[in-house]
Amino acid sequence: LSRLLAAAATVHADEAAMSARIGEHGRAFVRDGATVLTHCNAGRLATVGDGTALAVLFAAWRHGTRFRVLADETRPLWQGARLTALELSRAGIPVELLVDGAGPGLMARGEVQLVVVGADRIARNGDFANKVGTYPLALAAEAHGVPFVVAAPRT
C-alpha cells in the first residue's frame, strides 16, 4: 500500500508541475483587454493543479494580464456553466456564460480575440479530440483569424 501511495503522490506532483508549465507557456497568448472563449472544463476540478486550458488563464491573471472570459455552457452536462464559470469567478477572473453555438458569431464580429480549449486526446500528427462543439469553434477561429490554442499535457 505504501508503494501505491508513493506512486500516486509522484503522479500527482508530476501532473501539478505539468499544469504549471502549461500555464506559464500559454499565458503569452492572453493579451490585456482580450475576450477569451473557452469550451468545456479543463481546470482545477477536472485535473490537477490549475488544470490545462484554465491554467493558461490563471497564469495570465496572476501575472497581471486583465481580460474577460466567455465560457460556453457545454451541453449536455453543462461543464462550462457548472465548473468553468465557477472556477474562474472564484479566482476573480471576469467570466460570462455563453450559449453553446454563439461563439462563431462573436468571432465573426471581432468580439473574441483568443480561444483556449483542453483536449481529451492528441494524435501524433497534432490532431486532437475534445468535447463536442469544439470543432465549429476551431473552424470559426480559422475563418476569422482568431488564435486557437489547445492546452494539454503530453500524456
Side-chain angles (χ1 to χ4, degrees), residues 43-113:
R44 297 169 175 159
L45 296 172
T47 62
V48 175
D50 280 345
T52 57
L54 294 191
V56 170
L57 304 178
F58 292 135
W61 194 262
R62 278 193 299 270
H63 283 85
T65 307
R66 294 299 174 252
F67 54 93
R68 74 181 183 120
V69 177
L70 300 175
D72 275 352
E73 59 193 2
T74 321
R75 293 180 185 211
L77 299 178
W78 303 88
Q79 296 97 315
R82 292 183 305 113
L83 304 175
T84 301
L86 173 70
E87 289 187 60
L88 293 171
S89 65
R90 284 199 174 161
I93 298 172
V95 59
E96 296 175 44
L97 189 59
L98 185 66
V99 174
D100 282 353
L106 293 172
M107 283 186 245
R109 291 196 305 261
E111 295 182 34
V112 173
Q113 289 73 51

